[in-house]
Amino acid sequence: MGYQNVVETWDALYSSYIMVIYVSSSISNFREKLGKRMGVPYAKPWDILKSAIFFGLYHRLDYIKFLAHRGKKKVFWTGGDIKNLKHNKNKKWQERIANADAEHYCENEVEQRVLMSMKIFPDVYPMIFTETDNTVTFQKNTNPHIYMTAHAGREKEYGVDILRLAAVEFPNYRFHIYGLQGEVMDNLDYGILSENDFNEVTKDYQCAVRLNRFDGFSETVAKAVLRGQYAITTIEYPEIAYANSLESFMYELDKIQYKTTPNYQGRDYWIKELEESKWKLLS
């Protein structure tokens, strides 16, 4: 075999077996973390024939890159991108993406149903985009600390009003809302922290809550459970308390003050599940 043939054969093998990732500019804050967690390089313009995972299809440029890619491709839908595509006035994007030869993944059945309404049929694999410290840090507390993360201008979506109601209902609890400022209460405060400070401050807390009705698998919830804490969400996940109404949320919240041991069952389940999801995407 001549030198040129050897080079061509190597290039073909390299293109076939090396995987790259595309990360939408709309979630650029996760770009470095995703690269580290997945352990594969970011796509370059000449990687068009390589296997690729697209994290997020949020806008027209993402759609074009995805459709132009000629290697094996997978899409990991992250939440907001699903809403964007659903409400895009140019419905041809839905048709083109649905008809493309690709595998699709999302994080829960709520997202799955919306994608299926656009004739995109994903498998459900919850994911986290960052490497986490799985050290158990839960501490028993009969006056438990309950926390959520939220974004300014989207308080209703994140259920800030519900957490404020809970603060009235449970005066012996301590509630914390991170990511925005607001009107403090006797047992509820707000704060804007760096990721490292957030991890340190919340490590001994008892329960994270996520009250979004449409959402991906929350990093805040994942971190809580992986640290042996408890969590309550309005989207169903295994080994996480599910509350689809105000009454059921208050019911689940009431239980937290009686928790005396770390959430080992939930932690063990999600350590395994999240690792399996990662390798499913990489396979």
Side-chain angles (χ1 to χ4, degrees), residues 141 143-150 160 163-164 167 173-180 184-193 198 201-202 204-209 220:
N141 194 332
N143 302 116
H145 290 262
I146 313 298
Y147 64 103
M148 69 158 49
T149 52
V160 170
L163 207 66
R164 292 180 66 88
Y173 283 31
R174 298 294 176 263
F175 295 88
H176 312 276
I177 301 172
Y178 296 108
L180 71 159
V184 300
M185 300 169 63
D186 288 343
N187 61 335
L188 182 147
D189 57 35
Y190 293 78
I192 298 176
L193 303 175
F198 172 82
V201 166
T202 61
D204 296 332
Y205 287 179
Q206 288 69 49
C207 180
V209 301
T220 301

Side-chain angles (χ1 to χ4, degrees), residues 209-244:
V209 301
R210 188 75 165 188
L211 304 179
N212 305 56
R213 293 290 178 177
F214 187 92
D215 197 20
F217 186 59
S218 163
E219 298 268 321
T220 301
V221 168
K223 285 181 180 180
V225 175
L226 294 175
R227 293 188 292 182
Q229 299 174 4
Y230 295 83
I232 305 170
T233 64
T234 48
I235 295 175
E236 286 191 85
Y237 295 104
E239 301 298 334
I240 292 175
Y242 169 58
N244 64 350

Side-chain angles (χ1 to χ4, degrees), residues 73-178:
K73 50 195 175 187
K74 300 179 179 183
V75 182
F76 190 84
W77 297 88
T78 63
D81 51 350
I82 301 172
K83 284 185 176 180
N84 288 359
L85 183 62
K86 181 70 175 177
H87 299 299
N88 194 307
K89 293 180 180 179
N90 186 349
K91 298 304 178 184
K92 287 189 175 181
W93 287 121
Q94 291 184 17
E95 182 180 348
R96 291 168 182 167
I97 291 170
N99 290 336
D101 185 11
E103 297 175 16
H104 295 269
Y105 301 86
C106 65
E107 299 189 276
N108 54 61
E109 293 180 0
V110 174
E111 293 181 332
Q112 185 185 48
R113 286 193 292 270
V114 177
L115 286 165
M116 290 174 66
S117 74
M118 295 184 281
K119 296 183 171 55
I120 297 169
F121 301 96
D123 291 327
V124 174
Y125 285 95
M127 269 278 292
I128 52 173
F129 292 171
T130 59
E131 294 293 338
T132 60
D133 180 358
N134 298 336
T135 303
V136 173
T137 61
F138 169 89
Q139 297 292 324
K140 181 180 76 170
N141 194 332
T142 55
N143 302 116
H145 290 262
I146 313 298
Y147 64 103
M148 69 158 49
T149 52
H151 290 283
R154 298 166 63 187
E155 289 86 349
K156 187 73 173 176
E157 175 187 347
Y158 281 85
V160 170
D161 55 336
I162 295 175
L163 207 66
R164 292 180 66 88
L165 286 174
V168 175
E169 186 72 18
F170 296 94
N172 62 312
Y173 283 31
R174 298 294 176 263
F175 295 88
H176 312 276
I177 301 172
Y178 296 108

Side-chain angles (χ1 to χ4, degrees), residues 1-16 49:
M1 182 182 292
Y3 174 78
Q4 186 61 36
N5 288 336
V6 170
V7 171
E8 290 174 356
T9 300
W10 171 254
D11 283 347
L13 287 170
Y14 185 80
S15 297
S16 298
L49 296 178

